[in-house]
Amino acid sequence: MTYTDPMFKNKELDGKVIVVTGGGSGLGKSMSRYFSLLGAKVVITSRSIEKLQKASAELQKETGNEIHPVACDVRSYEEVENLLAETLKKFGKADVLVNNAAGNFISPTERLSSNAFDTIIDIVLKGSKNCTLAFGKHWIKEKQPATVLNIVTTYAWTGSGYVVPSATAKAGVLAMTRSLAVEWAKYGIRMNAIAPGPFPTKGAWDRLLPGDLKEKFDISKKVPLKRVGEHQELANLAAYLVSDYSAYINGEVVTIDGGEWLQGAGEFNMLEKIPKELWDQLEMMIRAKKG
Ligand code: HXC
Ligand code: NAP
């Protein structure tokens, strides 16, 4: 096997109803495809119904399983309540919510209007809050066990310049994950997160590496494993975290970035650049200082 292979081989998500926000493109679409292949009924949602209809037709053909598109701007609590109602109408229940929808673009923070900053916070933090609260209230009322999976980023805890609204919002989502993992465990609701490093998608790359920035900053070079992520790797992890195999994992954030953020964090990781031959000389110099 290789890391691009699907991990589960049977219908491990059979009988589950999974709602994926931002499920019509990028990583959301890749996760939805795999959940559907594993037997789940999937609801994909975002602002663009045309995009969702195209994606659901394509995925349904591939997986032979039903995928229901519902238009919803996660910034609106009323639209999120409608998403829940549509899910219940179509499939009778909801077992899993994946908060994957996001907005982001690079910019020096002082160039941002107040509305630009708000837009990102509203999609990422308020959107995840709206979905979690609406679905959570329903699950608690119905006494239904459930799972929430939040897609954050590694800069949710390190922070990052030039994507400050996104970093601020993702940090909030991470705090919500860990807080509710404890508070709602008594209702049988699990909360986990995935923090991906670079996984090329059109949505992210158009906004984070526009023009020739892709060539100027070869992002795979920042990763100790010297490559970017494959969508199936992330889908494998997501499928595990929403499946019953991970029933004892709660409040966790799983990093999947080839070691990227730690490379930036480790004080002496720059010594990677020292050629092998120089280490004899350096060792001698250090030993000579003894006593
Ligand atoms: C400065 C900008 C801007 C830019 C928009 N704005 N783009 N300001 N630089 N490049 C400002 C606008 O002028 C406006 O402010 C405000 O932001 C809202 O813009 P709208 O276009 O009206 O918003 P909307 O139509 O809601 O679109 C939201 C969006 C857009 C975020 C701006 O890019 C979008 O739809 N994105 C969704 C998909 C996405 O972002 N995917 C990437 C996820 S990657 P004013 O003041 O003029 O009204 C990710 C993690 C990556 O999250 C981590 C990688 C390792
Ligand atoms: P993407 O394809 O642009 O995904 C973002 C999705 O969110 C789109 O489908 C978009 O659809 C939807 N969306 C945006 N605003 C919305 C709103 N107001 N209401 C509902 N849906 C909305 O980018 P991606 O790379 O796959 O990102 C997916 C997730 O992974 C995000 O949470 C992102 O932060 C995270 N992530 C990605 C990477 C990476 O390298 N790609 C790394 C770390 C984290 P519409 O435009 O139709 O609404």
Side-chain angles (χ1 to χ4, degrees):
M1 56 75 60
T2 85
Y3 59 85
T4 52
D5 287 342
M7 181 178 75
F8 286 138
K9 303 294 174 209
N10 302 307
K11 297 275 177 199
E12 276 82 357
L13 300 180
D14 212 10
K16 287 200 190 293
V17 176
I18 305 184
V19 177
V20 182
T21 69
S25 66
L27 296 176
K29 187 174 170 190
S30 298
M31 287 187 278
S32 299
R33 172 186 292 110
Y34 193 40
F35 296 159
S36 179
L37 271 171
L38 294 173
K41 301 286 179 220
V42 180
V43 174
I44 55 174
T45 189
S46 80
R47 295 163 297 179
S48 163
I49 189 65
E50 294 78 24
K51 187 165 96 179
L52 294 169
Q53 281 165 343
K54 207 168 148 243
S56 69
E58 178 195 324
L59 295 183
Q60 240 164 236
K61 214 168 140 196
E62 248 180 83
T63 69
N65 203 355
E66 215 170 350
I67 300 194
H68 187 50
V70 179
C72 167
D73 186 328
V74 293
R75 291 173 282 192
S76 154
Y77 194 72
E78 288 70 34
E79 290 189 35
V80 168
E81 286 186 310
N82 180 60
L83 165 68
L84 172 62
E86 284 293 318
T87 304
L88 299 178
K89 197 164 102 192
K90 179 75 183 169
F91 294 127
K93 60 170 186 159
D95 299 291
V96 176
L97 166 68
V98 181
N99 282 312
N100 165 81
N104 199 2
F105 51 77
I106 49 167
S107 176
T109 307
E110 66 278 12
R111 287 172 60 98
L112 295 174
S113 68
S114 174
N115 184 44
F117 207 122
D118 283 352
T119 299
I120 305 303
I121 300 274
D122 285 353
I123 299 172
V124 176
L125 181 54
K126 193 174 161 193
S128 302
K129 176 279 287 178
N130 281 345
C131 294
T132 306
L133 192 62
F135 280 70
K137 279 173 185 285
H138 165 75
W139 289 324
I140 292 165
K141 188 166 146 259
E142 297 298 321
K143 297 190 170 41
Q144 199 211 307
T147 296
V148 178
L149 179 63
N150 294 321
I151 309 300
V152 296
T153 68
T154 52
Y155 58 63
W157 56 89
T158 64
S160 174
Y162 303 95
V163 285
V164 171
S166 172
T168 308
K170 294 284 192 184
V173 176
L174 183 54
M176 186 173 70
T177 309
R178 289 173 168 154
S179 306
L180 285 177
V182 174
E183 192 185 326
W184 283 359
K186 60 180 173 286
Y187 302 119
I189 300 172
R190 289 194 297 130
M191 292 260 166
N192 290 300
I194 293 179
F199 283 74
T201 64
K202 183 166 167 32
W205 261 227
D206 282 356
R207 293 170 176 93
L208 302 173
L209 294 167
D212 66 354
L213 288 195
K214 288 173 211 54
E215 288 77 48
K216 269 202 177 114
F217 303 108
D218 178 355
I219 215 146
S220 63
K221 294 209 173 103
K222 283 180 68 218
V223 181
L225 290 177
K226 298 295 173 224
R227 67 172 178 87
V228 291
E230 290 284 338
H231 285 211
Q232 186 62 46
E233 294 178 279
L234 188 126
N236 284 342
L237 177 58
Y240 170 67
L241 288 174
V242 303
S243 79
D244 296 338
Y245 286 113
S246 63
Y248 203 47
I249 298 183
N250 187 28
E252 188 54 84
V253 53
V254 183
T255 305
I256 178 164
D257 74 341
E260 185 195 30
W261 86 269
L262 285 168
Q263 165 127 322
E267 183 73 35
F268 285 99
N269 286 345
M270 79 283 191
L271 297 183
E272 188 68 27
K273 295 209 173 89
I274 303 267
K276 252 190 188 156
E277 317 79 72
L278 205 61
W279 277 110
D280 284 343
Q281 217 178 314
L282 291 171
E283 186 179 333
M284 262 166 39
M285 285 159 76
I286 296 163
R287 285 183 185 278
K289 297 287 175 200
K290 198 174 173 185

